[in-house]
Amino acid sequence: MSADRETNHDMTHGDVTHGDIALLLADAADEVEIGIAPYQSVVRGGRRRKARRWAVAAAAALVIAGSTGSLALAGALDGDGDRGAPVATQPSTVEERHLYEPGRTTLATGRDQGEEWRVVIDVWGAPKDKVEAQSQLDAMALYGVKPADVRVAGDLVGKGWVFVHLTVGDGAQSTVVQGAVEKGDSMSGRDIQAYSMPLKTGGSDRADASRDLVIGKVAPTARQVICTWDNDTATVVDRAPQGTETSTDVLSIRPVDGSQPSWFVCLSPKGVGYESADVAGSVGG
């Protein structure tokens, strides 16, 4: 495994920088044989410094959570982000803040080899203190989720949390992407972050019977994403026209309740793997 090892000296904790920790984790990854990852992280385009930081975070998270199938991500939620409209008043009640019940959005639904599949994203708001954080942690447990690397409730203070869930057929819902989000995290222009994973349907483990499911996030101004496959073909995903966001059987770029970035899903042809994803069009970009 390899990772971009550029450090970020703006973030420190005592005498040890986060960059030092990332380097140690990356070095550990070079020494540990972890086998095939449950899915891969690909970062394309956007602001260079941010993209590098996400790449290091993804590599580190894979080492930490490789046995659980979870991959952490950053930058999914920001109440101060630009949606191309006037900034709304900040929510005040716990319900509006999605503190004890997440904002839930269905990103995509489909049917493949006789089985239905569904991708859902839950966004939890940021607790203001340890009391709110403990109540939120208890509420998360009722939803069957636990934030990665959170040891005590206080670790949740000041951070939102995102969980992306996948359900295939009659199987149990599984969390395929999760991560914490802090104030100031946002996406703009042609920023993009995407994750791919096999979508196995029809009860078969054969490589030619599965497709690659790609889940990603982009700036709220992004109008179009191109997913490129390893056979040099591509799939174009457009932003859902206003008023049609509930038509989830058409794979589109969609706004997500509680999230500054929009999110998208694309699906590869059968037996074809994921290569990359790029923003092809954006407002003012």
Side-chain angles (χ1 to χ4, degrees):
M1 174 187 292
S2 64
D4 187 328
R5 300 184 184 181
E6 177 180 291
T7 59
N8 184 345
H9 297 289
D10 296 333
M11 299 182 294
T12 61
H13 182 74
D15 294 327
V16 181
T17 68
H18 287 289
D20 292 333
I21 295 171
L23 286 175
L24 290 173
L25 288 170
D27 288 338
D30 291 336
E31 300 296 328
V32 178
E33 182 64 38
I34 63 172
I36 299 174
Y39 46 86
Q40 68 189 75
S41 167
V42 178
V43 179
R44 291 287 187 272
R47 290 166 289 184
R48 185 172 182 80
R49 185 176 182 183
K50 173 173 285 190
R52 287 190 174 188
R53 186 179 68 202
W54 288 340
V56 171
L62 189 57
V63 176
I64 294 169
S67 62
T68 68
S70 297
L71 186 64
L73 74 129
L77 167 70
D78 181 10
D80 297 328
D82 179 14
R83 287 181 176 272
V87 177
T89 302
Q90 292 297 309
S92 56
T93 68
V94 294
E95 291 81 11
E96 291 173 332
R97 291 165 56 201
H98 301 305
L99 201 59
Y100 307 135
E101 183 176 354
R104 170 163 289 190
T105 302
T106 299
L107 289 179
T109 56
R111 189 174 185 85
D112 183 66
Q113 298 191 94
E115 288 188 311
E116 294 183 355
W117 58 267
R118 177 181 298 269
V119 177
V120 173
I121 181 169
D122 287 346
V123 179
W124 298 75
K128 294 180 179 179
D129 52 43
K130 291 183 179 180
V131 174
E132 287 189 349
Q134 183 60 62
S135 297
Q136 183 179 80
L137 197 60
D138 294 341
M140 286 179 172
L142 296 177
Y143 278 80
V145 296
K146 184 181 186 303
D149 305 320
V150 169
R151 294 178 175 83
V152 295
D155 293 340
L156 294 174
V157 175
K159 299 178 182 178
W161 212 273
V162 176
F163 295 90
V164 183
H165 307 293
L166 171 65
T167 304
V168 178
D170 296 328
Q173 174 179 278
S174 60
T175 301
V176 292
V177 180
Q178 66 159 295
V181 186
E182 299 183 63
K183 185 176 181 179
D185 290 337
S186 62
M187 304 187 80
S188 63
R190 296 180 182 270
D191 286 349
I192 185 169
Q193 190 169 4
Y195 304 91
S196 71
M197 62 212 71
L199 176 68
K200 294 183 178 179
T201 56
S204 173
D205 290 330
R206 295 180 308 145
D208 63 353
S210 68
R211 302 173 186 263
D212 270 6
L213 185 70
V214 180
I215 301 171
K217 55 176 184 165
V218 293
T221 53
R223 311 307 302 174
Q224 190 177 79
V225 168
I226 297 179
C227 293
T228 303
W229 315 114
D230 60 12
N231 66 347
D232 294 327
T233 62
T235 298
V236 176
V237 179
D238 294 312
R239 180 169 290 276
Q242 190 171 4
T244 67
E245 290 88 353
T246 57
S247 302
T248 55
D249 56 335
V250 178
L251 303 187
S252 306
I253 304 169
R254 303 178 186 281
V256 167
D257 190 14
S259 172
Q260 185 266 351
S262 295
W263 289 72
F264 69 91
V265 171
C266 56
L267 187 64
S268 76
K270 186 181 296 184
V272 176
Y274 171 62
E275 185 67 28
S276 66
D278 296 277
V279 173
S282 61
V283 176

